[in-house]
Amino acid sequence: MRIRTAGVVAVLGLALAASGCGDSGSDKPAAEQSASKATGGKLVIWADDKRTAALKPFAEEFGKENGVTVEVQAVSKDLQTNFVTASQQGSGPDAVVGAHDWIGNLVQNGAIDPVQLTAEQKAGFNETAIKAVTFNGQLYGVPYATENLALLRNTELAPEAPKTIEDLVTAGKKLKAEKKASEILCLQSGQNGDAYHIYPLYSSAGGYLFGTAANGDYDPKDLGVGKPESIAAFQKIAKLGEKGEGALKRSITPENSISTFTGKKCAFLVSGPWAVADAKKAGIKYDISPVPGFAGGKEAQPFVGVQAFYVAAKGKNKALAQEFVTNYVTKPELAVALYKAEPRPPALTAAFDQVKGEDPDLAKFSEAGKNGQVLPAIPAMAAIWDPFGKAEAAVIGGADPAKTITAAGKTIQGQIK
Amino acid sequence: MSAPLSGPGSATRTPGREPARPGLPRTARHHAPITATGLVVKVVLLGLVAGIALWAAFPLIEAGHWIGLGVLVATTAALFYLYLGRRHIPAKYLVPGTLFLIAFQVLPVLLTASTAFSNFGDGHRGSKDDAVVAIQTSSVKQVPGSTEYALTIATKGDPATGPLTFLLSDPKTKEVFAGDAGGLRQLDAGAVTVSSLSGKITAADGYTVLNIGQASSRSDAVTALIVPTDDGAIRSNGLTRAYEGKAARAYDAGCDCIRDSESGKTWTADEKVGSFVAADGERLSQGWKVNVGLKNVGAVLTDPNISGPFFGTLAWNFAFAIGSTGFTFLLGMAIALALHSPRMRGTNLYRMLLILPYAMPSFAMLLVWRDMFNTDFGLLNNLFGLDVDWFGGAWSARVAVLLVQLWLGYPYMFLVATGALQAIPRELTEATSVDGASPWQSFRAVTLPLLLVALSPLLIASFAYNFNNVNAILFTTEGGPFAPDNPRNGATDLLITYTYRLAFGAQGAEYGLAATVSIFIFAIVATVSAISFRRTRKQEEVYS
């Protein structure tokens, strides 16, 4: 009885296992068969949700034209980290879409390869965009869109674009006194600051983050935070803060700054192309102009960020990925489609000219970013964000600029290798 | 690894396999009867184990992980032996739990501990070979003034297996070439057909031209084919273009260094830090993972940036965990006591309303609370006409996070306290009132001690959970407010949020350092829990 039971269990168990493995066993040859039938390789692209949707039709077309399979996979969270980790384990994609300031980190982890574009191809792109994806003298990605901050204003409340930040504050204060608005300026900070959004004012007041090395890249050894220029810059910013004019406030956070603007509670908003959709939806009459600088100061330079395609260094089908990224992405049609998925100015001049006519905002944003600074892609930039933002918040809250910025500079210096 | 282990977990529930009942003599001959259901369940579960083991075996074989495969085979065989036989009854119950313990507790702890002794992090993820490849590849530059060729991939043999040749055409001079690992040679223009549209060679005598689909399925071979030339080498750029490039940097095994052929500069491998370092101290950013011994531990103990705020943070961390647990317990218990009173009406409705905060996702609630504490736009200040900068002041921020914790946590305490109260016989409290005790005395002397016997383990668990409650801080104050002269460490930072900033806020992620600090935190929580459990046991001995 006992042996028989054990036997029955064993035989049935093995049969089940065999049927289970039969499935997976038959899977593989099937995949191989279909692959040899299509005779093509497979290209896997990772992108975020929005871009995945825009990319899919083009990826399919590329696949059909060339007899290959193209898969666009959406990675909705932590795309960069996931890409680095997956690359390391050999399970990463062949190409990836992301912001240009990832390049430093992706290169130090050996996750992407340089791309080779011909001189003609390069000439077709916006110069700043090409500069942004150049790192250590090498081109690491093919840019498709740029983005930068600008000043949006409610033209019903403020018909004139302010020339300086002082003009803006005067206009804002007047509106506040007349009870037409409750805030002077919507520039997001929050309790922990926002380095990206304060940077135009910081640069206008004379501050800088990194000096420039001989090859045109940012030089992590020349840190501008903590230097006298940066202290002077934050002294100017402090005057706009809670203990000064009250134009910059910690209570204006990334969550409420756009909605406060669209709720007509402030006439001026410093934001990017992503805010336009909200302003349109709220039915606000708005106009876009460059972020104004301090009177008598330097020009306010917003950061210019670039979205780009990268070729994974450890992809399984590198040749196909290179083909797609260097020859297919450089076509204007794709750039226009990506623009329609999310309205950021295309990096390809031809595509930009094509959509410029339909969308006047685009030219205004691009104008506002004309003198912008390329967002540093060096790994050292990661050490800036957090301490710099906190210093900003503290200064806006009324802390002593000299002490605060010196401490921030020390912290950043300590984290740069 | 975890996959093959998940099967047997359910195998414990196999009916018809109960241990010998105490009433029956414990000999091998008297067993519970074998039922058909029992048999089927057993077959299905063991089949699953075998199936999962097979599924896990293929990748292991493919990757050549023979040790892993050995462990897999041994584990599966042992499971079959155990559950097909009728002996080893205690083992049948213990093995699944033990396997899960090993897979989900012991292995991660060992992995964390081993990471703590390495420099694993951004820039130091892979092996030295990976770093060398990355450095060489990223230094390949187009030879100035060289030709951009139109590329066609061809072979003299079978398209799927034959050795590849690059057929190259120069769009300007219209010259055509064939190139392989042996070098570049010019082809007779009459022997090839060049497309006037793309400038590519579409046919050549003696060669089979691969279309893009065929070529892409041999991507590795295409990328690996490098045609040497006088100035460098011709490499493919995708499948339709080729360029003449040169790697400026190369690894030299003789000096164990990277040499730049343009500037002549060398970077020598430093196995202690896992980087190539030049004489002037410049480091190449692509490094590799090395064992750094106790360096991370040393950093935690001696680096003033890390150890300076450690004790202050630790004190607040204890206050936060005790406060979160204590206040929620007090409020939850008070409500439970109120609703426990026999004179209370509509208790079900109250209970339902009270559970609401517990039923809502805490992630969303934390974000909502954060916005409610906003100075100018927040509900709290607007509703009560206050002008408190909640998250701006150290103490108000601490009060705020504890308030949020209280709101999120009391329903749980209310639930467990209600359950525990119902288990306390009413006769006991009635007896105290007969003896003339006031309600307070009876609560202190009877109800509370009995409640604590039941709830102490839960309180300890809640303490341990809150000690590392990342979400409660990251979604509200993010550790702030920060002193103006110290952006590293905020007033509401817990050790874990502080570690997070330390390990991931700097120049790329530093997993090694993060692992080290988490071992410290683990030690603290383990010690506190061990002491509390010991005290609880004493308490149980007194009251039970």
Side-chain angles (χ1 to χ4, degrees), chain B residues 270-354:
Chain B
D270 185 341
E271 295 289 347
K272 271 192 201 129
V273 293
S275 295
F276 289 104
V277 188
D280 61 1
E282 191 201 343
R283 238 183 235 204
L284 291 179
S285 64
Q286 297 98 331
W288 62 96
K289 190 176 150 187
V290 289
N291 198 331
V292 293
L294 293 172
K295 196 178 148 210
N296 287 327
V297 182
V300 172
L301 294 177
T302 58
D303 186 343
N305 281 344
I306 302 172
S307 57
F310 190 86
F311 288 102
T313 311
L314 184 64
W316 158 245
N317 204 152
F318 270 107
F320 173 77
I322 294 170
S324 298
T325 312
F327 293 139
T328 50
F329 174 65
L330 287 181
L331 183 63
M333 184 183 62
I335 299 173
L337 280 173
L339 291 187
H340 191 60
S341 159
R343 282 173 297 170
M344 189 76 190
R345 275 154 202 263
T347 48
N348 281 340
L349 181 69
Y350 279 119
R351 282 190 182 136
M352 218 164 64
L353 289 176
L354 285 168

Side-chain angles (χ1 to χ4, degrees), chain B residues 317-318 460-461 463-465 467-468 495 518-532:
Chain B
N317 204 152
F318 270 107
I460 295 168
F463 171 85
Y465 172 78
F467 198 84
N468 284 327
L495 283 178
S518 56
I519 287 178
F520 275 88
I521 297 177
F522 169 74
I524 293 168
V525 177
T527 313
V528 171
S529 303
I531 294 170
S532 325

Side-chain angles (χ1 to χ4, degrees), chain A residues 9-95:
Chain A
V9 169
V11 167
L12 286 179
L14 281 179
L16 204 81
S19 71
C21 94
D23 244 7
S24 62
S26 64
D27 244 9
K28 273 199 174 157
E32 270 159 29
Q33 267 166 21
S34 70
S36 64
K37 220 182 277 166
T39 63
K42 186 170 146 193
L43 177 69
V44 181
I45 304 168
W46 281 8
D48 64 16
D49 296 327
K50 257 186 192 164
R51 270 164 274 270
T52 303
L55 266 176
K56 263 202 174 132
F58 285 87
E60 269 162 28
E61 198 192 304
F62 174 81
K64 232 183 260 165
E65 264 174 33
N66 296 305
V68 293
T69 327
V70 186
E71 253 179 48
V72 189
Q73 292 169 355
V75 179
S76 47
K77 213 172 168 280
D78 295 332
L79 179 55
Q80 187 193 3
T81 323
N82 281 327
F83 171 60
V84 171
T85 313
S87 280
Q88 191 59 44
Q89 290 163 351
S91 52
D94 302 302

Side-chain angles (χ1 to χ4, degrees), chain B residues 97-157:
Chain B
T98 315
L99 284 179
F100 280 122
L101 187 73
I102 292 173
F104 297 116
Q105 297 288 334
V106 179
L107 279 181
V109 169
L110 287 180
L111 203 66
T112 311
S114 68
T115 308
F117 297 108
S118 75
N119 65 347
F120 183 54
D122 274 337
H124 299 275
R125 283 173 185 261
S127 65
K128 189 174 173 184
D129 292 341
D130 286 345
V132 168
V133 170
I135 291 167
Q136 286 175 344
T137 327
S138 63
S139 76
V140 175
K141 279 185 186 156
Q142 196 164 350
V143 175
S146 64
T147 316
E148 280 277 352
Y149 297 101
L151 168 73
T152 305
I153 291 152
T155 178
K156 283 192 168 168

Side-chain angles (χ1 to χ4, degrees), chain A residues 154 157 175 180-187 252 257 260-269 284:
Chain A
N154 186 330
L157 296 174
L175 288 167
K180 282 187 185 157
S182 65
E183 306 298 326
I184 299 171
L185 167 67
C186 278
L187 190 151
I252 296 177
S257 80
T260 310
F261 175 74
T262 54
K264 301 185 185 179
K265 283 186 207 143
C266 64
F268 301 101
L269 168 72
I284 289 211

